[in-house]
Amino acid sequence: MSTVAYCSFIWGSGYITARARTRTHRSLQKTEEQKRRIMSVLRKINPTLQRICICEQENLGRRAMQITRELKQGVKKPYKELVDVSIGDAHRGGMKPITFVRQVIAACIYPELLHDSALPADVKERAWRLMRECDGGSVGSYTEACGIPYVKSSVSDFITRRDGGVPASPENILISSGSQTALMFVLSLLVHGEGSAQTGVAFPVPTYSSFAMALDELGAEMVPYYLCEEEGWALRVEELRRAVRASGLHCTPRVLYVINPSNPTGNVQSRKIIEEVIRFAAEEKLVIMADEVYQDTVHEEGIDFVSYKRVLFELGPPYSESVQLASFHSVSKGFMGECGLRSGYVELVNLDPAVMEQACKWLSAGSCSAVTGQIALNIMVDPPRPGDPSYTMYSQEVKFKKDTLTCNVRRVQEVLEDIPGFTCQAVGGGFYAFPRLHLPQRAVQRAKELGLEADLLYCTRLLEEEGVCLEAGSSLGQKEGTHHIRLCLMTSTKTLEMVLKRLKRFHLRFLKEFA
């Protein structure tokens, strides 16, 4: 997945279309000669890649990096430090890695450490076990394309425990370089056709931008269904039915994408809602793609995460035998936050054996995911247990991260509720808050004059004036006439307090300016 581009959305009459349009200040300054040269070069590039665009939010991220460089060079700003909480990168936000994870990886990379008496015995044992699974006893060797068999078995055991005994098989699990790679792979299997036969993919609005970009890249038809903000961003099956059936006029809906817990809204789906979604998918013959990467970060009292796999099998026949499901998890999110290690998995359920065989062949044509990431995945699904030397430190570090996130969620909602012009639905799970901005009409009009969405103007001003980088709701999708911001809450309490202080100061000043 490209990190230098996002899709630009045009919201209208029930569906979204992606348009390749670039709007940067730099491009406006190019000479006609430069533009002609660029167009000449672009004609030699794959047309599919040319459709991928750079949108304003990506430019905001680039500006944030530029400001950081300027601060290091001594350029005077109203602030001494830039804070970027626009994306779900826990370690960037000040959260520390889990010690056991880094110790095992370090020992696998540099086996001489196994002779160091400072390393706990269970670290050495895990490192030896994982290295034995690698060709030549080295993590520098290729693994099987679908992942190390031992790691796949540990993933299937984890799923079985998580789902109360519902069985999982290593043969149905594919390990990839993060959940995004797995999502792209599954979509590549499912997306085909042209015109009215083109595959339609139903997905929630709001959702993170790179998923919509992936759909455009693969040539799928976008079928958005809107989450209900007034009901805590709930998924409503009647809205899902409206979107899917309306899309049948211009495509063939085949895939339903759900995110639970939600990114960016933090909604956690109840068992009842999941049952309704499964029945609807069976009725419409849709493959469910369940993005469950935030399953370890549910922080609202009285709410528990329940997987789509578990609910599907507990519904029993005919659903458990016929509804096709792909479920995803990753080491990037949850309490591990190991974004840079790039590892995740997808479990494929009820897919035709011929499709599974083709999927394995396709994967075998490429390289394996990074072995260090597979090690982290193994630890995520099979952590130290009571009685192990590393258990006490491991459990304390995980508890600290979860407690920090829960505290941050409560703190954000407490602060925002006290600021005029903000409303924030309850955040039940995940990494983010997605509050709504109630902006003065003069601000909306000014943004329109500048060719910007109002929440993007807000985020741009916030970045320049207070050194805080957030994501504008317009890049994630929202109902027309509404404005939002997304901020990552998996960060240190010190960083969050700095963000909230600057945000409140800017917000009140912004409201006064455009009153």
Side-chain angles (χ1 to χ4, degrees):
M1 182 61 61
S2 169
T3 59
V4 299
Y6 288 92
C7 283
S8 189
F9 295 152
I10 296 177
W11 302 86
S13 62
Y15 66 94
I16 305 171
T17 58
R19 299 288 177 86
R21 59 187 180 93
T22 302
R23 302 175 63 178
T24 67
H25 295 299
R26 189 179 304 166
S27 67
L28 294 175
Q29 296 170 354
K30 288 186 174 72
T31 65
E32 289 302 317
E33 182 180 350
Q34 287 174 314
K35 291 178 182 179
R36 285 194 295 270
R37 182 185 63 81
I38 290 170
M39 292 306 297
S40 176
V41 171
L42 289 177
R43 280 194 288 270
K44 302 174 184 178
I45 296 176
N46 186 328
T48 300
L49 296 181
Q50 290 187 52
R51 290 207 310 269
I52 301 173
C53 61
I54 298 174
C55 78
E56 291 87 346
Q57 181 65 40
E58 179 65 21
N59 293 327
L60 201 64
R62 291 184 176 186
R63 176 58 182 151
M65 290 188 287
Q66 183 182 6
I67 290 174
T68 299
R69 290 193 296 269
E70 290 173 356
L71 288 170
K72 290 179 179 179
Q73 293 165 1
V75 177
K76 297 297 182 183
K77 302 283 184 183
Y79 42 86
K80 295 181 179 180
E81 177 186 358
L82 183 139
V83 186
D84 188 345
V85 287
S86 63
I87 61 174
D89 189 335
H91 294 175
R92 176 193 284 189
M95 303 300 287
K96 302 300 182 184
I98 300 291
T99 301
F100 185 78
V101 175
R102 293 307 179 90
Q103 287 177 329
V104 173
I105 291 175
C108 287
I109 291 175
Y110 187 58
E112 289 299 314
L113 291 175
L114 294 171
H115 305 296
D116 189 334
S117 60
L119 279 184
D122 55 341
V123 169
K124 296 178 181 180
E125 181 181 348
R126 182 68 66 95
W128 277 119
R129 182 71 178 87
L130 288 161
M131 286 191 294
R132 285 200 301 270
E133 297 296 326
C134 299
D135 289 343
S138 171
V139 296
S141 300
Y142 286 120
T143 73
E144 293 186 19
C146 297
I148 299 171
Y150 171 68
V151 177
K152 291 174 62 178
S153 293
S154 67
V155 170
S156 66
D157 291 343
F158 158 78
I159 294 171
T160 301
R161 291 193 307 272
R162 181 199 67 187
D163 293 342
V166 175
S169 170
E171 286 71 32
N172 294 332
I173 292 164
L174 309 177
I175 297 175
S176 65
S177 299
S179 60
Q180 280 299 298
T181 302
L183 280 165
M184 286 289 289
F185 171 73
V186 174
L187 284 170
S188 297
L189 288 174
L190 300 174
V191 172
H192 59 86
E194 297 180 354
S196 60
Q198 183 182 27
T199 294
V201 179
F203 66 99
V205 177
T207 195
Y208 59 99
S209 309
S210 55
F211 182 77
M213 185 180 74
L215 296 184
D216 189 53
E217 187 176 336
L218 292 169
E221 184 69 18
M222 299 182 185
V223 182
Y225 59 92
Y226 290 85
L227 303 177
C228 182
E229 182 172 7
E230 294 73 21
E231 297 178 11
W233 295 107
L235 188 163
R236 301 174 65 184
V237 173
E238 51 267 39
E239 162 62 11
L240 190 56
R241 180 174 287 106
R242 178 206 63 77
V244 168
R245 295 192 173 170
S247 70
L249 299 173
H250 53 86
C251 69
T252 302
R254 296 189 179 97
V255 181
L256 169 59
Y257 180 58
V258 294
I259 313 174
N260 183 42
S262 171
N263 173 8
T265 69
N267 176 269
V268 181
Q269 294 175 19
S270 67
R271 178 184 291 268
K272 180 176 181 294
I273 289 295
I274 294 173
E275 288 179 354
E276 291 178 4
V277 170
I278 290 172
R279 290 190 176 99
F280 174 76
E283 178 186 335
E284 298 292 331
K285 295 181 173 57
L286 302 174
V287 178
I288 299 175
M289 293 177 61
D291 189 336
E292 299 173 327
V293 300
Y294 297 97
Q295 61 186 263
D296 297 322
T297 51
V298 175
H299 29 258
E300 187 172 348
E301 291 185 13
I303 294 181
D304 295 312
F305 169 80
V306 185
S307 75
Y308 267 77
K309 165 84 175 293
R310 179 169 188 165
V311 176
L312 174 62
F313 276 80
E314 290 180 350
L315 278 173
Y319 304 106
S320 60
E321 298 173 349
S322 61
V323 174
Q324 296 178 310
L325 169 70
S327 60
F328 305 85
H329 199 6
S330 168
V331 302
S332 297
K333 308 305 176 186
F335 58 85
M336 291 192 73
E338 292 283 6
C339 298
L341 292 183
R342 308 310 305 141
S343 187
Y345 72 79
V346 56
E347 182 188 19
L348 301 174
V349 179
N350 287 333
L351 264 68
D352 188 283
V355 176
M356 287 295 298
E357 182 180 358
Q358 191 62 36
C360 291
K361 286 181 181 178
W362 191 354
L363 274 179
S364 297
S367 299
C368 64
S369 61
V371 178
T372 49
Q374 294 191 54
I375 293 170
L377 181 61
N378 168 257
I379 295 170
M380 182 184 78
V381 299
D382 186 17
R385 301 178 183 183
D388 292 345
S390 298
Y391 175 75
T392 299
M393 177 180 284
Y394 179 88
S395 58
Q396 288 174 347
E397 290 176 339
V398 170
K399 184 178 185 301
F400 174 77
K401 287 193 170 189
K402 290 185 175 182
D403 288 349
T404 298
L405 180 58
T406 300
C407 179
N408 286 349
V409 167
R410 292 171 181 167
R411 180 63 178 154
V412 163
Q413 293 187 227
E414 174 187 278
V415 170
L416 294 185
E417 285 173 3
D418 196 42
I419 303 176
F422 269 114
T423 55
C424 186
Q425 299 294 324
V427 179
F431 273 17
Y432 311 99
F434 194 62
R436 182 171 175 177
L437 292 169
H438 301 274
L439 299 176
Q441 188 56 42
R442 285 185 60 209
V444 176
Q445 182 59 37
R446 178 57 179 157
K448 187 176 181 180
E449 291 168 0
L450 294 171
L452 300 173
E453 294 289 344
D455 46 24
L456 182 62
L457 172 63
Y458 182 95
C459 288
T460 302
R461 290 275 305 271
L462 175 64
L463 175 61
E464 295 291 346
E465 297 175 25
E466 294 288 348
V468 174
C469 187
L470 305 180
E471 183 157 15
S474 51
S475 73
L476 300 161
Q478 54 196 352
K479 285 187 176 179
E480 186 176 354
T482 67
H483 310 288
H484 300 80
I485 54 173
R486 186 186 79 162
L487 60 156
C488 177
L489 304 180
M490 184 57 105
T491 184
S492 69
T493 53
K494 179 181 177 181
T495 298
L496 182 67
E497 288 300 329
M498 186 189 308
V499 168
L500 292 175
K501 180 180 179 180
R502 296 185 190 183
L503 176 61
K504 181 176 181 178
R505 184 167 59 207
F506 167 79
H507 183 79
L508 295 177
R509 189 168 66 242
F510 189 86
L511 291 186
K512 184 177 180 180
E513 178 183 345
F514 289 101

